[in-house]
Amino acid sequence: MRPRIVSEIPTPALVIDVAAMQRNIHRMARFFADGPCRLRPHFKAHKTPEIARRQLAAGSVSGLTCATVSEAEIAAPLTGDILIANEVVGPGTCDRVAALARGGRPMTIAADSVDGLVQMAAAAQRAEVTVGILVDVNVGQNRCGVAPGHDALALARRAAAMTGLRLRGVMGYEGHLQPIVDRTEREARTRRAMDALVGTARLLGDHGLTCDIVSAGGTGTHDISGRVPGVTEIQAGSYVLMDADYARLALPFEQALFVLGTIVSRPVPERCVADCGHKATSKDHGHPSVEGVEGASVLSLNDEHATIALPPNAAVAIGDRIRLRPSHIDPTINLHDVLYALEDDRVVDIWPIAARGYPEQRVIPANA
């Protein structure tokens, strides 16, 4: 039977405060309503079409950002412009991107190598489509990306010359700066990173190359990168639901997502155990925080258990529901199949997390 109230939801589960989520969506849309920079919400933060529809409906957007081809295949029907903000390599994977570009849908990928360009161009030519390219520029994260300046220019020239590809601009992700708590430091370092990105875009333009898109940013730097002249769009995602890691930055967004668990044991007054371990919430950014129980904290996460320290007089009993604020939203979302949408304690809808996991691996072999 479909749950009607929180106490009927089978745990562990993910629940969303719909009102808080909507406030987050509208706050971000208002921020980008004025000026040349737009928001390209990152689908990977929630992987849920219902949430993406609400983000698009709020306006101020240029399309959606995705992390994987699988996400793009789920998100493509929702909008006319998809950016896969990662390198796409491999003939089968490139062919899937090309298939999404059929019918003239704008599909764009990040690229930081000639090999990647060659593979994508070949797939685009086979499908008789054109795929957009953003040259991925390393602005300090030291993950993917070519060096700013002449290395990026050289790769952009190669992209512009290849049949099946269309150079659209540059991209740089200052992910290493998102979690810096000190606002002054975060702002200074972000502006330096954006200077390198915008300077590279200017260099491409000076050499006659198209650079309509300068894509950057995230939730932690949206109001810094998003106000740097020359940056045209920001790829923020976590703002819509938030997590404990971003909560340290005093951003103007509310916690809207919680891991719901049930207290299964209270062996001593100072400790209880809930049924929401690290199979229900990630711990790569640290333990989740406990919502609504003053002085409580998560001591450890095991496969199926969250061990929680309590004040001895805390009114927590076996069978009670407890909410945890995940430390990192993206991998936590990926652990679940659905989100329970709440208004107060009422379950108003259940939203499939349609892009979780790797859907292409769900095909059952004929001889299985």
Side-chain angles (χ1 to χ4, degrees), residues 181-328:
V181 174
D182 183 83
R183 170 73 189 198
T184 301
E185 180 186 357
R186 187 164 81 249
E187 183 165 352
R189 293 180 63 182
T190 296
R191 290 190 179 280
R192 288 197 295 272
M194 292 301 98
D195 285 347
L197 183 64
V198 172
T200 298
R202 190 179 303 116
L203 180 66
L204 268 58
D206 290 344
H207 285 78
L209 295 173
T210 299
C211 198
D212 295 331
I213 295 175
V214 179
S215 189
T219 295
T221 58
H222 76 279
D223 58 344
I224 306 169
S225 301
R227 289 294 183 258
V228 171
V231 175
T232 67
E233 64 180 31
I234 296 297
Q235 302 173 15
S238 297
Y239 75 93
V240 69
L241 298 175
M242 289 294 285
D243 55 35
D245 200 29
Y246 270 123
R248 300 177 305 119
L249 304 186
L251 299 170
F253 306 111
E254 306 170 51
Q255 187 68 32
L257 175 81
F258 300 92
V259 178
L260 182 70
T262 300
I263 303 301
V264 296
S265 175
R266 191 172 182 180
V268 296
E270 298 83 9
R271 188 175 75 248
C272 71
V273 180
D275 63 352
C276 43
H278 66 73
K279 288 184 179 179
T281 180
S282 70
K283 57 180 181 179
D284 58 312
H285 286 189
H287 288 150
S289 59
V290 181
E291 187 78 8
V293 182
E294 186 71 28
S297 63
V298 174
L299 294 172
S300 65
L301 292 176
N302 301 109
D303 285 0
E304 308 292 351
H305 299 102
T307 302
I308 300 170
L310 294 172
N313 60 350
V316 174
I318 292 174
D320 285 353
R321 297 304 175 94
I322 195 163
R323 298 189 189 199
L324 302 184
R325 178 185 295 196
S327 60
H328 192 187

Side-chain angles (χ1 to χ4, degrees), residues 50-295:
E50 180 56 36
I51 297 177
R53 289 188 189 98
R54 292 167 183 247
Q55 291 173 301
L56 293 166
S60 306
V61 299
S62 58
L64 290 174
T65 309
C66 294
T68 66
V69 179
S70 298
E71 289 178 3
E73 288 168 339
I74 299 296
L78 305 174
T79 180
D81 198 324
I82 295 285
L83 166 64
I84 300 175
N86 285 318
E87 283 61 29
V88 178
V89 176
T93 307
C94 290
D95 285 331
R96 289 164 62 196
V97 173
L100 287 171
R102 290 195 177 103
R105 176 189 286 119
M107 281 296 307
T108 302
I109 66 168
D112 71 352
S113 69
V114 174
D115 285 345
L117 292 177
V118 168
Q119 292 182 34
M120 191 68 253
Q125 291 168 33
R126 285 192 294 271
E128 300 181 332
V129 299
T130 300
V131 173
I133 298 294
L134 295 187
V135 173
D136 191 357
V137 179
N138 179 8
V139 294
Q141 190 178 27
N142 296 328
R143 189 171 65 185
C144 299
V146 296
H150 289 283
D151 286 358
L153 173 62
L155 190 64
R157 281 175 164 158
R158 296 295 296 269
M162 288 186 184
T163 302
L165 304 182
R166 177 166 69 96
L167 178 65
R168 299 189 72 188
V170 296
M171 182 193 92
Y173 177 48
E174 68 280 21
H176 59 303
L177 307 179
Q178 304 293 323
I180 295 176
V181 174
D182 183 83
R183 170 73 189 198
T184 301
E185 180 186 357
R186 187 164 81 249
E187 183 165 352
R189 293 180 63 182
T190 296
R191 290 190 179 280
R192 288 197 295 272
M194 292 301 98
D195 285 347
L197 183 64
V198 172
T200 298
R202 190 179 303 116
L203 180 66
L204 268 58
D206 290 344
H207 285 78
L209 295 173
T210 299
C211 198
D212 295 331
I213 295 175
V214 179
S215 189
T219 295
T221 58
H222 76 279
D223 58 344
I224 306 169
S225 301
R227 289 294 183 258
V228 171
V231 175
T232 67
E233 64 180 31
I234 296 297
Q235 302 173 15
S238 297
Y239 75 93
V240 69
L241 298 175
M242 289 294 285
D243 55 35
D245 200 29
Y246 270 123
R248 300 177 305 119
L249 304 186
L251 299 170
F253 306 111
E254 306 170 51
Q255 187 68 32
L257 175 81
F258 300 92
V259 178
L260 182 70
T262 300
I263 303 301
V264 296
S265 175
R266 191 172 182 180
V268 296
E270 298 83 9
R271 188 175 75 248
C272 71
V273 180
D275 63 352
C276 43
H278 66 73
K279 288 184 179 179
T281 180
S282 70
K283 57 180 181 179
D284 58 312
H285 286 189
H287 288 150
S289 59
V290 181
E291 187 78 8
V293 182
E294 186 71 28

